Amino acid sequence: MVKKLTLTSLVASACLFSNVYAENTLEEAFTNGKVKGEIRSYYFQEDYDTTGRSSNLHFGGFLSYETASFYGLTTGATFQVSSVADISGVNKFVDDEDASGSVMSEAFLTYTRENSSVKAGRQFIGTPLLAGSGSRMIRQSFQGYTLVNTDIPDTKVVAAYVDRFQGRTDGAGSPGKFTKAFDTNAELGSVTLNDGAYTAYLENKSISDLTIQAQYLDAMDVFASMYLDAKYEFGTSVNLYAVGQYIGTNYDATANENGNFYALRVGGNNDYFNFKLSASENPSDGNVESGLGYGADYSLVGAEIDGGYWSYLTDTTAYQVNVGTTVAKIDLNLIHSVYDTKANGDIK
């Protein structure tokens, strides 16, 4: 528990936590806040037939602070920092990893009363159709408002509006800045939203062993996507479960055909092994847009590289087999994916 927060503790801490509880004075709210941080080092290497090998070594991390509650109010901030040590060969990392500098990715005020909370400002968001990716040094973030409510038993409801987005880089060697340009995962690549985006999300667990997620996202004047999945757990000795998934996209621009994506997975696990058997199809004339932010990529047949991109394309059928085990607390997985696309043939 952090009893007193000082500048020294902020700089020196790599990962510190404290309990968060209601405070009677503003001073107590700040001194009993929580601090956490992380130091990271990433190395990426890619080989191309035309340009040869490209590699990138960089260091960085983040530092976050959030106050304890003061009559339902909390405030917090997260700073991210990245420093590129070396890039060799042709620079293929301009949009993802080539960033030296810092960015204040979170700066928010939250008010909580009973089963509802409202957060305003820069913030990390993680829902199926609206989510920033944290798989690179700089995690993507949003600016806007989110409302979370749990008044309905076994149900979580989220409503949000965002009008700015912070990417991994700015394309010029620095961390991303908050702009109206949003990254997407499939059809559009990047979109400029002058009027922002609205979304509503629901998670329900009122039926035993069944979890349902539904979300609607309207990226104003560009596209609207609908997400739905249902997961049922059978409770057998291998923890067997089944998941069905749907993503549909309607484009405002007449040049883009609307798309529909369907997927199914059967999986299970025990103390010795785990498996996932997944299949998907996009039988429509258009590609599917899975949302805003690279974290909005929930395709059940998504691969470690390129995520679910290929499975979202029009007239594509995909299959994936994933088997794994854990040895000495190390997870080992073997994944084989096949994407049968109309335009490109089989991609394995």
Side-chain angles (χ1 to χ4, degrees):
M1 178 179 293
V2 178
K3 288 296 185 182
K4 185 175 183 180
L5 183 65
T6 66
L7 181 60
T8 302
S9 67
L10 279 172
V11 174
S13 296
C15 188
L16 298 176
F17 299 89
S18 68
N19 294 328
V20 179
Y21 49 89
E23 301 297 340
N24 294 321
T25 69
L26 190 59
E27 180 182 2
E28 289 177 333
F30 277 94
T31 58
N32 289 300
K34 68 177 180 180
V35 180
K36 63 179 179 180
E38 190 171 290
I39 298 173
R40 302 170 178 167
S41 177
Y42 284 168
Y43 176 78
F44 292 88
Q45 178 178 300
E46 300 178 8
D47 291 311
Y48 298 87
D49 292 338
T50 55
T51 58
R53 178 172 297 176
S54 179
S55 64
N56 178 15
L57 172 65
H58 56 304
F59 303 88
F62 73 89
L63 186 65
S64 297
Y65 171 73
E66 184 174 0
T67 68
S69 177
F70 179 67
Y71 295 103
L73 289 170
T74 63
T75 186
T78 296
F79 289 90
Q80 297 190 91
V81 62
S82 174
S83 178
V84 176
D86 178 68
I87 294 179
S88 64
V90 177
N91 187 357
K92 297 291 186 178
F93 310 101
V94 173
D95 296 326
D96 291 329
E97 294 97 39
D98 186 6
S100 291
S102 62
V103 58
M104 186 168 66
S105 297
E106 287 194 300
F108 58 82
L109 179 67
T110 304
Y111 178 68
T112 302
R113 183 177 177 86
E114 297 180 347
N115 295 322
S116 297
S117 65
V118 179
K119 179 184 286 188
R122 298 179 178 183
Q123 55 191 287
F124 298 135
I125 298 176
T127 62
L129 294 178
L130 184 68
S133 170
S135 65
R136 299 296 190 271
M137 185 66 73
I138 300 296
R139 181 179 177 180
Q140 297 170 327
S141 184
F142 300 88
Q143 177 179 290
Y145 309 87
T146 56
L147 167 67
V148 180
N149 178 270
T150 56
D151 278 329
I152 303 173
D154 303 310
T155 302
K156 179 180 180 181
V157 177
V158 178
Y161 168 75
V162 293
D163 62 1
R164 295 291 190 279
F165 175 76
Q166 170 236 300
R168 294 165 171 169
T169 79
D170 66 354
S174 298
K177 300 175 176 61
F178 282 85
T179 70
K180 294 183 179 182
F182 288 70
D183 287 335
T184 70
N185 281 291
E187 170 74 352
L188 301 173
S190 179
V191 295
T192 298
L193 302 179
N194 293 317
D195 297 319
Y198 298 86
T199 190
Y201 166 80
L202 180 145
E203 180 188 72
N204 181 270
K205 298 181 179 181
S206 59
I207 300 176
S208 179
D209 302 318
L210 177 66
T211 300
I212 297 174
Q213 295 186 98
Q215 186 170 8
Y216 175 78
L217 171 76
D218 190 350
M220 301 294 288
D221 300 324
V222 182
F223 73 91
S225 286
M226 177 71 186
Y227 179 93
L228 178 66
D229 77 27
K231 179 179 180 180
Y232 186 79
E233 301 178 60
F234 295 94
T236 63
S237 59
V238 293
N239 299 313
L240 190 67
Y241 64 89
V243 185
Q245 183 183 56
Y246 167 78
I247 306 174
T249 302
N250 292 326
Y251 296 96
D252 293 349
T254 57
N256 300 95
E257 296 287 346
N258 298 334
N260 293 285
F261 168 86
Y262 306 87
L264 178 66
R265 169 181 288 170
V266 176
N269 63 82
N270 60 17
D271 293 335
Y272 305 101
F273 74 96
N274 61 79
F275 74 93
K276 301 172 186 175
L277 307 175
S278 309
S280 74
E281 183 176 11
N282 178 350
S284 57
D285 294 329
N287 299 340
V288 165
E289 188 51 74
S290 65
L292 299 175
Y294 289 154
D297 185 1
Y298 277 48
S299 172
L300 293 180
V301 292
E304 294 299 310
I305 299 176
D306 292 329
Y309 173 83
W310 297 106
S311 66
Y312 296 136
L313 300 184
T314 178
D315 200 19
T316 294
T317 302
Y319 306 95
Q320 186 179 94
V321 177
N322 183 329
V323 294
T325 188
T326 301
V327 178
K329 297 184 179 181
I330 299 176
D331 294 331
L332 303 174
N333 282 82
L334 177 64
I335 304 173
H336 181 70
S337 304
V338 177
Y339 304 94
D340 183 6
T341 67
K342 180 179 180 181
N344 300 284
D346 283 355
I347 300 171
K348 299 183 179 181

